[in-house]
Amino acid sequence: MRSIVTVASPASDTALTTLERVKLELGIPSGTTTSDPILQEKIEEASDDIEAALGFRLVRETAVETFWHEQYDVAPEKLVLDRTPVAAIASVVVDGLRSTPRPIGSIRTRVSCLRSATVIPASECFAGASS
């Protein structure tokens, strides 16, 4: 099974904290703005580094994941989403037919080339795994 993720609505701000919060933590008065550009740049760098280390986005974005199979692929019982954590699944479309949205982990559908498929967040695949 193959998939591709397209970001439909990117996050307007990817910073994981605010300039005001950093200035408060560092004891810089809010009226002092001389260091604002460098602090903002460091906030953005640190946010990018954190997401890169985690391997997933922390900011909320709307993404569309499209699945398809190649001729010799084995039909999976579960479709594992590439992007996690998942806040909500807006819809599931199979062969052009839209499924009614249901809670994460409970979406089941039948596809002509697949057996019953369940859409789940990838993080659930590793729940309870020992490290």
Side-chain angles (χ1 to χ4, degrees):
M1 188 58 98
R2 311 286 189 262
S3 75
I4 186 168
V5 176
T6 306
V7 176
S9 301
S12 59
D13 184 13
T14 59
L16 301 179
T17 190
T18 63
L19 180 61
E20 293 76 25
R21 177 70 181 180
V22 169
K23 289 171 84 170
L24 178 68
E25 291 289 329
L26 295 175
I28 300 171
S30 59
T32 305
T33 60
T34 55
S35 58
D36 285 4
I38 189 70
L39 289 174
Q40 190 61 49
E41 184 177 318
K42 293 301 178 186
I43 289 169
E44 292 167 12
E45 286 177 13
S47 297
D48 289 344
D49 289 347
I50 290 167
E51 287 184 337
L54 291 172
F56 60 87
R57 304 281 294 173
L58 291 170
V59 295
R60 187 170 287 198
E61 296 181 316
T62 301
V64 175
E65 186 160 6
T66 305
F67 293 89
W68 71 94
H69 71 93
E70 300 293 337
Q71 182 178 0
Y72 299 106
D73 284 347
V74 175
E77 291 186 22
K78 296 181 179 184
L79 298 177
V80 179
L81 300 178
D82 185 63
R83 306 253 330 239
T84 61
V86 176
I89 296 175
S91 68
V92 175
V93 179
V94 179
D95 295 334
L97 301 174
R98 185 175 300 269
S99 173
T100 305
R102 291 178 237 166
I104 293 173
S106 68
I107 297 176
R108 295 186 185 278
T109 187
R110 286 194 118 1
V111 184
S112 56
C113 60
L114 299 175
R115 288 174 292 203
S116 180
T118 304
V119 179
I120 61 169
S123 59
E124 288 184 19
C125 294
F126 305 104
S130 57
S131 45

